[in-house]
Amino acid sequence: MTTPVVTRIAPSPTGTMHIGTARTALFNWLFARRHGGQFLLRIEDTDRARSTPEATETILKGLEWLGLDHDGTPVSQFAQAARHAEVAQAMLANGTAYKCFSTQAEIEAFREEARAAGTSTLFRSPWRDADPATHPDAPFVIRLKAPRAGETVIADAVQGDVTFRNDQLDDMVLLRSDGTPTYMLAVVVDDHDMGITHVIRGDDHLNNAARQAQIFDAMGWAQPVWAHIPLIHGADGKKLSKRHGATGVEEYAAMGFPARALRNYLARLGWAHGDAEYFTDAEARAWFDLEGIGRAPARLDLKKLENLSGQHLSAMEDAEILAAVQDWTARTGAPAVEADRLLPAIGIVKEASRTLPQIVERAHFALTDRPVTPDEKAAKALDTVSRGILKELTPHLQTASWTRDVLEGVVGDLAGSKGLGLGKLAAPLRAALAGRTATPSVFDMMLVLGRDETLARLDDVARDDG
Ligand code: GLU
């Protein structure tokens, strides 16, 4: 029997939800879901000065918006401090850790001397092999008795074997003199206790993996599968920073990308399945594997995101888009839309839209009240001649069946009888119905608005003529 997969995302709640964290969460979520395993959440809140409840809330909301549901109750790392200390004691007991009584001043003096002598400044504690009978009654830290010879090899599923020389790693502190655990100990104990089988995270943690592996070994615990993913870079190939634009998930949500488009995009940021660019959640869940993660840093590309977003909007159900628009207006403070006006228009605007605000913009004709105020360009299309033609059109529309074929016939016939191209009639019609010049097709708009509203809008324009 193989062990069920358990992955986790372990964010530090110190700010926004970074796009890199979102991608790491997505990879872990996809991997767990693909294998019918569990995706757990751990809040790494041990840094009391920097961790805030608001940041935790932002992370929870970000995951929820992205649709990355986690299993079980989130674990607070801080709340596990007693358990971390217990493990440090167990390591003392099994001889893989020791009490170190060296003071900060002594450690500094050691380094000074090493620098002067040109030898390694890695601290070598004189207490490592001291007889406990000689221990003073003084404050101490607990240090790992790390192997000094040989190598620690991380068999990484993305990076391959990564080798660290043990003589270049010091005896790291596990428990501070005030009894609080260090980050390195906390991560290992939590990953073990949570039953994590795969640690998939940014490669900025690769060096930590060597140290964490030593703690796993010291406790005789099986190491998880390690998979360190290259960080996300900006379009210029440099490490992603604010300078490159949006770095927080909430900023992408505010730009109006549907969550499923961002999932698709983030999945492609560093992972590939053949040459598939656009894919659904179901496909991603069926395909995701560690072998598909590349070793080169992925570059953020907003154009590609927009392009994928457009494809997702075209494929989404109208009701799903409506819900996404409502979420977007609520989160950005944009004016709320009337659902029963927007919904019938979504079908004719989604193909040409790449973001949720573009949906709202193109559906303006359905959301706006009569009388429609034309913008500057539309006003120009409504000159006296054009209005006259629209007036002539009205009786034909009063009796026409309200279907696309018939409407196209009616408008086409009138244009023909005037010796005009269809466009000459479409422009003022557009202006009358939508108050704009860039709109969905006039026939689509007429069908969505219905006969009464269409005629009323034409009548408004005719009245303007005095
Ligand atoms: N808290 C770490 C971070 O936010 C993640 C640690 C881990 O995944 O092991 O970068």
Side-chain angles (χ1 to χ4, degrees):
M1 208 186 81
T2 51
T3 329
V5 165
V6 185
T7 64
R8 48 54 163 198
I9 180 73
S12 309
T14 54
T16 60
M17 177 145 178
H18 194 269
I19 196 82
T21 308
R23 182 191 59 162
T24 302
L26 175 71
F27 282 17
N28 279 281
W29 179 80
L30 284 172
F31 192 72
R33 295 290 172 255
R34 156 133 198 220
H35 294 283
Q38 296 211 308
F39 168 62
L40 306 183
L41 171 60
R42 177 170 77 235
I43 304 292
E44 301 212 317
D45 51 358
T46 42
D47 184 341
R48 301 317 281 169
R50 293 179 64 220
S51 302
T52 66
E54 294 75 26
T56 299
E57 197 50 35
T58 303
I59 289 162
L60 292 173
K61 286 224 176 90
L63 287 172
E64 189 188 342
W65 179 78
L66 257 181
L68 306 182
D69 55 316
H70 58 86
D71 299 295
T73 316
V75 171
S76 152
Q77 188 157 67
F78 178 66
Q80 303 303 314
R83 165 70 182 147
H84 304 148
E86 181 187 303
V87 171
Q89 295 298 335
M91 290 169 73
L92 269 187
N94 76 11
T96 55
Y98 62 94
K99 292 182 183 175
C100 171
F101 297 87
S102 298
T103 61
Q104 252 345 96
E106 286 165 353
I107 295 172
E108 233 355 276
F110 174 95
R111 295 219 171 98
E112 281 298 313
E113 259 172 57
R115 262 192 289 272
T119 55
S120 164
T121 55
L122 280 188
F123 180 57
R124 298 299 184 201
S125 171
W127 299 99
R128 179 173 158 115
D129 297 308
D131 179 349
T134 65
H135 284 177
D137 182 14
F140 61 88
V141 299
I142 296 181
R143 287 184 186 272
L144 177 77
K145 199 181 257 188
R148 290 240 165 122
E151 295 169 333
T152 296
V153 180
I154 297 297
D156 194 274
V158 176
Q159 313 284 340
D161 280 358
V162 185
T163 303
F164 298 84
R165 279 174 51 184
N166 287 336
D167 64 4
Q168 291 183 353
L169 300 171
D170 65 358
D171 288 351
M172 79 190 104
V173 175
L174 302 169
L175 208 66
R176 299 185 190 95
S177 57
D178 64 1
T180 59
T182 57
Y183 170 71
M184 221 56 88
L185 175 67
V187 168
V188 172
V189 175
D190 289 346
D191 280 341
H192 171 75
D193 288 358
M194 291 163 77
I196 303 302
T197 59
H198 294 72
V199 168
I200 306 167
R201 63 186 176 189
D203 67 7
D204 50 337
H205 287 283
L206 188 55
N207 287 335
N208 290 345
R211 303 178 144 265
Q212 291 164 1
Q214 292 184 338
I215 302 176
F216 275 103
D217 292 350
M219 282 302 288
W221 292 338
Q223 288 179 39
V225 173
W226 307 101
H228 288 92
I229 347 164
L231 299 184
I232 301 172
H233 285 189
D236 57 2
K238 302 225 172 81
K239 203 182 144 193
L240 192 62
S241 73
K242 271 278 160 214
R243 200 162 46 76
H244 292 103
T247 53
V249 169
E250 53 278 22
E251 293 172 79
Y252 287 87
M255 282 187 254
F257 295 110
R260 60 180 261 182
L262 194 60
R263 282 196 292 277
N264 182 170
Y265 176 69
L266 289 178
R268 279 290 292 111
L269 218 44
W271 174 79
H273 179 79
D275 52 13
E277 291 292 345
Y278 169 88
F279 42 79
T280 64
D281 286 318
E283 286 168 331
R285 277 200 299 265
W287 294 340
F288 189 81
D289 55 4
L290 301 180
E291 294 74 35
I293 299 175
R295 286 196 202 183
R299 290 188 189 198
L300 209 59
D301 180 349
L302 210 56
K303 280 269 160 296
K304 196 163 147 184
L305 170 57
E306 282 172 4
N307 184 24
L308 282 175
S309 179
Q311 293 183 61
H312 279 277
L313 284 171
S314 303
M316 281 162 78
E317 297 291 337
D318 296 356
E320 196 186 352
I321 294 179
L322 173 64
V325 167
Q326 287 171 325
D327 172 77
W328 174 78
T329 57
R331 100 179 15 251
T332 56
V337 290
E338 280 179 63
D340 51 356
R341 285 186 172 203
L342 179 60
L343 190 58
I346 289 178
I348 65 164
V349 301
K350 63 183 179 184
E351 298 283 341
S353 302
R354 293 176 160 220
T355 61
L356 298 166
Q358 285 177 16
I359 293 269
V360 175
E361 172 61 22
R362 284 188 74 75
H364 169 79
F365 76 94
L367 297 169
T368 193
D369 280 320
R370 285 185 47 225
V372 177
T373 317
D375 66 18
E376 208 179 314
K377 275 194 193 159
K380 282 199 186 119
L382 289 169
D383 57 20
T384 318
V385 179
S386 306
R387 290 185 203 189
I389 300 172
L390 290 184
K391 241 187 252 177
E392 277 185 58
L393 182 62
T394 304
H396 298 286
L397 294 178
Q398 263 153 356
T399 52
S401 303
W402 213 251
T403 66
R404 168 182 289 273
D405 284 354
V406 173
L407 293 175
E408 278 180 12
V410 167
V411 175
D413 286 351
L414 182 68
S417 74
K418 303 255 161 221
L420 297 170
L422 192 61
K424 279 272 180 268
L425 235 169
L429 251 180
R430 236 179 248 289
L433 296 179
R436 311 244 168 127
T437 47
T439 72
S441 106
V442 285
F443 303 109
D444 281 340
M445 290 196 291
M446 287 161 87
L447 289 169
V448 168
L449 292 171
R451 186 199 310 271
D452 291 350
E453 183 69 19
T454 300
L455 288 173
R457 290 187 185 194
L458 293 182
D459 194 43
D460 290 340
V461 171
R463 270 171 213 284
D464 274 2
D465 216 14

